[in-house]
Amino acid sequence: MRAYVQDGLEVVRLDFAGEVTQTPRGFTLQSPPRITLELPGVDNRSSQDKWTFNAGKLESAQMFVAGERARILLNLKQSAGYISTLEGNSILIRLLAEVPQEAPVQQAATPPAPAATAVPALPLLQDIDFKRSPEGAGMVQLRLPSDQTVADIRRQGTGVVIEMDKTRLPPALRRRMDVGDFATPVQTITSTQAGDRVRVVIEPNGKWEFNSLQIGNVLTVEVKPVDEKVAGAAKAGTPAGYTGQKLSLNFQSIELRAVLQVIADFTKFNIVTSDTVTGSVTLRLENVPWDQALDIIMQSKGLAMRKKGNVIWVAPKEEIATREKLDYESQAVAQSMEPLVTKSFQINYAKAVDVAGKLMEDAASKAAAASAATSAAGSATAKAQGAASGSASVTSAAPSGDRLLSTRGSVFAEPRTNQVFATDTEASLERVQQFISKIDIPLRQVLIEARLVVASEDFGKSLGVKLGGIDAGGGSLIGGEMKSTFGTNLNNSIAASGLTKNTISATDTFLNLPASSSAAAVPSIAFTLFSSASSQLIGLELQAIESNSTGKVVSSPRVLTMDQQAAVVSQGTQVPYTSTSSNGTTTTFQNANLKLEVTPQITPDGTLILTLDVTKDSLGILTTSGYAINTKHVKTQALVENGGTVVIGGIYELEENNSENKVPFFGDLPIIGNLFKNKAKSISKRELLVFVTPKIVMDRNVTTP
C-alpha cells in the first residue's frame, strides 16, 4: 500500500499478487472521518498491517483480516469522498474534496461488451409511491427491480436526488407528482429517464432533513420537518431520546454483520451477534447518534438487543424471547426446589400486624399476575423433565420478580412481642428484611399551634313613648290649677306630683308603646300634667336607647402529632334533646363544639401539607323542639413552610334589622303620630378567622427517612 498525488488528487494504491476483477465495496464515515473498504477473498501477505502517511487528507491506514475477508480503514484528517477504479493488479482509491454529487460513491470500470453480443434489457423500476407518517414526515417509497439494485441518494441544491444506473423507468411512472396537500415538507416528486439511468428528484420546502432505508427491494426515503428547538438541542448535543456520539453512515447493500462491526468499532462496545442474523441493508444516515442508528437497523430487520455492561447481544426478537423464557423456567424450577427458612423480625416503631398486612397484601396483589406465567413455566418444565427422566409432573413456582414473598412464602404477626415471622426462601427473606428496615422507622413529629378568632360587632338603636292618663276623682283637670313635674320615668314623675298612689298608679295607662322589651334597662324621661284640685293626670314618657359593642372570642388549641397522623382537639357543650316514640321517651345529645382536626404531611424539601377541618358550633335560638345549633365549618388543604402561618377565613355574617310598631291611624298622623309608635334598628357583624402554625419537632435521636 502506498499513497501519492496524481492530477491534483491524493491516490491510495493497493497492489495484489493476482489480477483484480471487482472494485471493493465500502462506505464513508463523517464523524470520525474514515473510509472503510471490504475486500472479499483477500489475505494480507505484507509484512505490516498499519501504515502512517500524515500527508494531505490521509492520516493513516489499517488492514484487518477475518476468515476470507479483509477490511481496510483509511483514517482521514477531514471527511472526503472517494472513487475506486481497477488498474491491472491494483486498485486505485482517489480521494475527493467532498462526497461526489453527480456520481455514485463507487464507480467500477466495466469493460465494453463485444459488438456482436446483444445488449440485455434493462430491469424495470416497479413502483413509486408516497405516504405521510404519523409524525408529519413525507415518505417516498421506490420498489426497485431487485434487492441488489444500488441507488445513489444525495442532497443536491434544495432537494434530494435518487439515481439508479442500468435501470429503466416505465412510461406510466414518468411523471411529476404534486403532494403538497399532504402537509409534509415534500411538495413534488419528479421521475425521469436519462439514458440508462433513472432519476427521481424530491423537492421539499422549509427546514427539513432526510434519511433512507432499504429493506429487500423497497427503498424508503423519509423527509421530515426540523423543529428549530429540536435542531438547537441537537446542535447542543442533546438529541431527544438518544445520547450516543453522532456519526454518519452510507451503506449500499452491505452485510448486516459488517454494519454491526462498524458500530462496535466506533463505540468500543463488544457486540455479540447470533448466527441467525443474516442479510444485507442499504441506508444513509447523516449526523445521528449511534444508538439511534443501531435502533433503526434493529427495527428494519426485526432484531432486538440486550445490553449488559459493555457487551451487547444482538439476535432476532423470537430468539431473545425464547431464551428469556427458558431462563424464566429455569429460575422457576430452581426456586421451587430451594429449601424454606423461617425467620423472625423485631418491629420497633410500627405495629407488627400492619407490617404483616402489607407483606400479605403485596403477595396477594402480584400473585394473580404471576399465576399465568407460573402455570406456563411449570407445564413446560414438567414436559421437559418428563421427557428426560420419565417423571409424571413437577411442581414449580414462578420466580418472585419484584415481589417480597414468593408464592410459597407465608407470614404472620405476634402482637404481644410486636414481631413478624416469615417463612420463605433466603432470597425472599432478604427482600423482606430490606422492606422492614425501610418502613420500621420513627416518624417525625409536628407541633400544630392554632388561633381561632370569632370577632363580632353589634349596634342597636330604639325610640318609643308611653302615654297615659288617670281620672280617679272625677274632677276637671282644666278647671283647677295646672301643675307639671318631671322625672326619669313615669313612676317617679307621678310620685313627685304629690298625688297619692292610692288614687293614681303608673300602670293606669290607656296607651303603652315601650321602646324595649325590658323597660328597666332603657333610659327614659317622663313628664306629667295634673291639677291640684283633682285626681286627674296626663303622663308622657319618652324612651330611647343606642348601643354599640364589639367583642372577640379567641381560642388557642395546641396539639402534637406524627407525620401523616390526624390530630383532633375538641371543646364544647352537649345539648340534650327529648324525643317520644312507641318505645318511650329517649334523650339524645347534640354536640355544639369548637373542633380542630389537622393531618400534616412532611414533604421531602421540609415543607408541610396541612389538611385542615375546623368546626365552630354554638347554641342558637330556642325552638319548640329544643335549641338550634349555629355552625361554622372550614375544610381545606394548604402548603405551608416549616414555622409559617396560614390564615383561613371567609365565614362572615352581617345581620341588619329595622322594625316599627305603631297604633293604627294615630301612628300615621304627622308629627303627633310619633307619640303613638316606636322604632328599633340593630346591626350585627361576625367573622371566623383561623391561624394555623405548624412546626417540625427536631429530635437528634430520630433517624429521618
Side-chain angles (χ1 to χ4, degrees), residues 567-583:
V568 179
V569 176
S570 179
Q571 179 184 4
T573 304
Q574 287 190 332
V575 182
Y577 289 91
T578 302
S579 60
T580 304
S581 63
S582 59
N583 297 327

Side-chain angles (χ1 to χ4, degrees), residues 93-236:
I93 309 297
R94 292 179 173 84
L95 303 182
L96 306 177
E98 56 185 5
V99 178
Q101 300 295 322
E102 300 295 336
V105 175
Q106 307 174 35
Q107 187 175 8
T110 305
T117 304
V119 178
L122 298 177
L124 284 174
L125 184 68
Q126 300 180 20
D127 191 18
I128 301 177
D129 194 9
F130 176 81
K131 296 181 179 179
R132 184 184 186 275
S133 70
E135 294 78 17
M139 304 178 67
V140 182
Q141 293 184 342
L142 283 72
R143 192 172 296 277
L144 306 178
S146 67
D147 57 357
Q148 300 298 321
T149 303
V150 178
D152 178 27
I153 308 169
R154 63 183 183 273
R155 183 168 185 163
Q156 181 174 319
T158 59
V160 179
V161 177
I162 308 172
E163 291 186 345
M164 291 151 285
D165 287 335
K166 308 298 181 182
T167 307
R168 185 161 58 92
L169 184 66
L173 298 181
R174 300 178 186 180
R175 61 193 178 188
R176 176 185 175 90
M177 300 170 59
D178 188 351
V179 294
D181 295 337
F182 286 86
T184 69
V186 181
Q187 298 300 306
T188 60
I189 304 172
T190 305
S191 54
T192 57
Q193 180 81 46
D196 60 352
R197 174 179 295 184
V198 174
R199 181 183 178 93
V200 179
V201 180
I202 304 173
E203 290 290 342
N205 66 351
K207 294 185 178 181
W208 52 273
E209 61 182 7
F210 81 98
N211 55 54
S212 60
L213 175 66
Q214 181 176 338
I215 302 177
N217 68 327
V218 178
L219 172 64
T220 303
V221 179
E222 181 185 27
V223 182
K224 54 185 178 181
V226 177
D227 190 358
E228 294 183 357
K229 296 182 179 180
V230 176
K235 291 181 180 179

